[in-house]
Amino acid sequence: MAMAELSTPKTTSPFLNSSSRLRLSSKLHLSNHFRHLLLPPLHTTTPNSKISCSVSQNQAPVAVQENGLEEETRSWKKLINIAVSGAAGMISNHLLFKLASGEVFGPDQPIALKLLGSERSIQALEGVAMELEDSLFPLLREVDIGTDPNEVFQDVEWAILIGAKPRGPGMERADLLDINGQIFAEQGKALNKAASPNVKVLVVGNPCNTNALICLKNAPNIPAKNFHALTRLDENRAKCQLALKAGVFYDKVSNMTIWGNHSTTQVPDFLNARINGLPVKEVITDHKWLEEGFTESVQKRGGLLIQKWGRSSAASTAVSIVDAIKSLVTPTPEGDWFSTGVYTDGNPYGIEEGLVFSMPCRSKGDGDYELVKDVEIDDYLRQRIAKSEAELLAEKRCVAHLTGEGIAYCDLGPVDTMLPGEV
Ligand code: LMR
């Protein structure tokens, strides 16, 4: 049994604290640390009004209308601020363009993107911002880049936290939990201080359940309910496998729950999932495949993909982030649900409180969700859910120094892998 007592969080973060940022459509003053690019102002509806550029030495380019008026765009909603960490990475490279296109929040929702990266990635971030600019997305009103979460998270309504370190050669799992946990502790504190009080936070960086837990514990002013760990990728993978086996199109698979951790202990629930409205077990009669082949293929899909690609999933992860957010901002179809890793307090399934655990949820489309409370759990599911729960409890003990719950005690054990990529 490997055991480690972990250090207290360092005050310096792997995310650097320069205030470099690129900003579009800004009225801020230019300085060495800021670069400003131009977008037209948000409110321009008079068909014949012209946009021109007004630049002075001390001022960023500011778009103004010739008549000097800014009019309300009646058909557009109020601008929302969205933070994305790890913004120069592969997942973000797919995600940001989907966000900017309106695919996620809708064609009437203007957005500002706040991109968080490390000092090392700042040039790449500028490149990302330039590509966003060159894409001429009408809904994208502003792009900021920066390395200090306290600045980047200012007033954000959504935070998509992707940036995390992958496990390096010879690195203990406990070390990975500690290194990434420190990033998420710092970001939790920054969200607590700077973000909109009802910010919705989606943690993607692995180990995402425990990172989400660390983040929420460091953000006591934000409702714990607002934090999610991304298990939608696992849900999508499970739906794909069932659809392929049943010979139906993906959209015929519904009510797909992923229980537990985004790891190889996750439980894709074929007992309650449906194909064409029928229980999966009625449509797929090879129950041995369901219990073994199907379950393992979903649990280990991330690892297999790494073997093939030589790197982690990126495009499908971005798609699943889109799906996860859309599930919160659009009403869940009648009778269906979706999976997301959420705080377990008050759950009706007897899962230990104080964890971030993937469960079935529904939304009215207001950004919030409720747990689906009446899903059947048989002995097969119960045993496997308990294993994932035990794994998360062990991870939680490893990061007690980051959640304010005392001294960390790490007994993860040598056998189980922690991430789908680590098989
Ligand atoms: C995935 O599920 O594809 C990733 O979480 C794998 C990984 O370990 O990066």
Side-chain angles (χ1 to χ4, degrees), residues 1-2 173-174 177 391 394-395 398 410-416 418:
M1 183 195 306
R173 279 186 268 161
L177 277 164
E391 181 182 52
E395 287 186 23
C398 287
C410 216
D411 59 349
L412 288 166
V415 179
D416 250 347
M418 197 172 62

Side-chain angles (χ1 to χ4, degrees), residues 102-260:
E103 182 183 336
V104 184
F105 290 97
D108 55 352
Q109 178 60 73
I111 64 167
L113 286 174
K114 315 277 177 185
L115 308 183
L116 181 65
S118 65
E119 196 75 66
R120 247 179 345 117
S121 71
I122 202 72
Q123 283 221 353
L125 268 189
E126 288 196 21
V128 171
M130 286 165 66
E131 281 212 87
L132 284 165
E133 183 188 30
D134 294 344
S135 301
L136 307 180
F137 291 115
L139 292 165
L140 180 60
R141 311 310 303 179
E142 191 177 312
V143 179
D144 289 71
I145 65 174
T147 56
D148 180 354
N150 293 295
E151 279 188 13
V152 175
F153 292 164
Q154 195 63 49
D155 299 325
V156 298
E157 281 106 353
W158 287 83
I160 305 163
L161 305 183
I162 300 172
K165 287 222 183 310
R167 186 153 83 155
M171 194 189 278
E172 295 280 330
R173 279 186 268 161
D175 297 337
L176 182 73
L177 277 164
D178 184 45
I179 290 170
N180 281 331
Q182 293 195 40
I183 295 173
F184 286 88
E186 187 199 19
Q187 293 184 0
K189 288 191 182 93
L191 286 166
N192 199 52
K193 202 167 89 185
S196 153
N198 198 27
V199 60
K200 306 292 189 292
V201 184
L202 177 59
V203 177
V204 179
N206 279 321
C208 61
N209 295 55
T210 297
N211 288 340
L213 180 69
I214 294 167
C215 200
L216 76 86
K217 289 286 181 187
N218 283 277
N221 298 338
I222 300 167
K225 202 183 176 211
N226 289 17
F227 290 77
H228 298 257
L230 184 79
T231 54
R232 186 54 171 265
L233 178 55
D234 306 301
E235 176 183 329
N236 289 356
R237 288 168 171 169
K239 282 179 165 168
C240 170
Q241 293 305 310
L242 291 178
L244 289 174
K245 182 76 173 176
V248 299
F249 200 60
Y250 314 128
D251 65 352
K252 302 294 179 243
V253 186
S254 65
N255 303 81
M256 186 72 239
T257 311
I258 300 295
W259 297 94

Side-chain angles (χ1 to χ4, degrees), residues 206 233-234 237 262 301-303 305-306 312-313 317 419-422:
N206 279 321
L233 178 55
D234 306 301
R237 288 168 171 169
H262 175 65
R301 185 80 167 172
L305 200 126
I306 289 172
S312 265
S313 57
T317 302
L419 307 174
E422 295 179 343

Side-chain angles (χ1 to χ4, degrees), residues 12-72:
T12 52
S13 148
F15 277 70
L16 299 159
N17 54 11
S18 147
S19 57
S20 309
R21 75 181 2 185
L22 177 148
R23 196 176 163 89
L24 291 98
S25 189
S26 165
K27 292 182 183 175
L28 290 180
H29 292 287
L30 286 166
S31 79
N32 289 339
H33 299 293
F34 292 85
R35 189 175 150 219
H36 309 265
L37 297 180
L38 175 71
L39 267 188
L42 178 57
H43 306 301
T44 53
T45 47
T46 313
N48 294 327
S49 67
K50 285 195 193 139
I51 307 296
S52 62
C53 199
S54 151
V55 186
S56 79
Q57 254 194 334
N58 296 326
Q59 203 175 25
V62 175
V64 292
Q65 286 179 253
E66 271 189 347
N67 62 9
L69 293 175
E70 288 192 1
E71 294 183 17
E72 290 295 321

